[in-house]
């Protein structure tokens, strides 16, 4: 029975958070510099894309994503700026219970190192980036296992870093958060 899917088994649910950092910086120009006390923001310029969930309730591609999961599922968040973290950068660093049931265990940051991750080749003969070059690259996720059923509103926090005047370093601009939902069967 190689094609059998065990729907009761834990699944990996991945949520990519894309932040329009220009909007955030313009609308909230004086954010908290305290990671334990991030500045609350509206839901207008964050875009969450979810794969692997037990179903999207609403908000795929918006800042108001609500998705389904089962107890035992692994949920991982990763964040990126609209610049792919090259100018402004985003790091998702906290998920906290905000309202309703507490369905998540504690979240933690994990690092994944790929020795042969592909990147566009700037020196390719056709100037289209192909064939790519392979380089060691670090990827990070912020993840937890779903522990119980219910509906939880959670605060999703991220650090926003901007490109320094030297054009090389990224420096803290501030910490922000907002509150999407999860529903667990």
């Amino acid at each position: 029975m190689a094609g059998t899917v065990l729907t009761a088994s834990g699944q990996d649910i991945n949520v990519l958070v894309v932040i329009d950092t220009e909007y955030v910086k313009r609308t909230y120009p004086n954010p908290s510099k305290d990671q334990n006390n991030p500045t609350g923001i509206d839901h207008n310029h964050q875009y969450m894309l979810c794969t692997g969930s037990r179903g999207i309730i609403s908000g795929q591609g918006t800042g108001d994503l609500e998705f389904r999961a089962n107890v035992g599922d692994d949920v991982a968040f990763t964040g990126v700026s609209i610049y792919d973290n090259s100018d402004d950068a985003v790091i998702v660093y906290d998920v906290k219970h905000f309202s309703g049931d507490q369905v998540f265990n504690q979240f933690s940051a994990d690092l994944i190192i790929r020795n042969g991750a592909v990147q566009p080749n700037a020196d390719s003969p056709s100037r289209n980036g192909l064939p790519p070059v392979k380089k060691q690259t670090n990827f990070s996720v912020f993840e937890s296992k779903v522990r119980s059923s219910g509906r939880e509103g959670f605060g999703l926090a991220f650090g926003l870093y901007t490109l320094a005047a030297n054009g090389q370093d990224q420096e803290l601009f501030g910490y922000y958060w907002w509150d999407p939902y999860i529903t667990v069967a």
Side-chain angles (χ1 to χ4, degrees):
M1 292 194 201
T4 302
V5 176
L6 301 174
T7 57
S9 296
Q11 289 186 187
D12 290 333
I13 300 170
N14 293 285
V15 180
L16 173 64
V17 178
V18 181
I19 305 292
D20 178 348
T21 55
E22 292 302 325
Y23 172 83
V24 172
K25 291 185 302 185
R26 184 175 57 253
T27 308
Y28 304 95
N30 299 304
S32 172
K33 303 287 196 248
D34 177 0
Q35 68 180 356
N36 297 313
N37 208 7
T39 299
I41 62 174
D42 62 35
H43 299 207
N44 294 328
H45 287 78
Q46 307 90 296
Y47 309 95
M48 293 186 289
L49 301 169
C50 180
T51 186
S53 74
R54 306 293 180 149
I56 301 297
I57 296 171
S58 64
Q60 178 79 290
T62 74
D64 287 316
L65 174 67
E66 183 172 359
F67 62 94
R68 285 189 179 90
N70 284 355
V71 172
D73 287 347
D74 290 309
V75 177
F77 290 90
T78 188
V80 66
S81 73
I82 199 72
Y83 299 109
D84 194 24
N85 283 353
S86 66
D87 286 350
D88 292 341
V90 168
I91 297 175
V92 173
Y93 72 90
D94 200 7
V95 176
K96 284 189 181 173
H97 174 77
F98 181 75
S99 65
D101 304 302
Q102 191 158 359
V103 303
F104 287 121
N105 284 309
Q106 184 172 348
F107 276 78
S108 64
D110 283 323
L111 185 64
I112 299 163
I113 301 169
R114 301 276 186 227
N115 288 324
V118 295
Q119 298 177 3
N121 181 354
D123 298 321
S124 68
S126 61
R127 304 301 295 162
N128 67 358
L130 298 177
V133 294
K134 293 184 177 185
K135 296 191 176 204
Q136 186 180 63
T137 305
N138 297 343
F139 300 94
S140 64
V141 295
F142 200 66
E143 63 187 351
S144 174
K145 188 171 287 291
V146 176
R147 75 178 193 181
S148 65
S149 61
R151 182 173 187 263
E152 178 175 355
F154 55 94
L156 184 65
F158 65 93
L160 171 55
Y161 298 80
T162 57
L163 194 59
N166 67 9
Q168 296 297 315
D169 298 322
Q170 291 172 321
E171 299 171 341
L172 177 67
F173 186 80
Y175 297 106
Y176 299 93
W177 78 279
W178 84 102
D179 55 337
Y181 282 90
I182 181 173
T183 300
V184 178

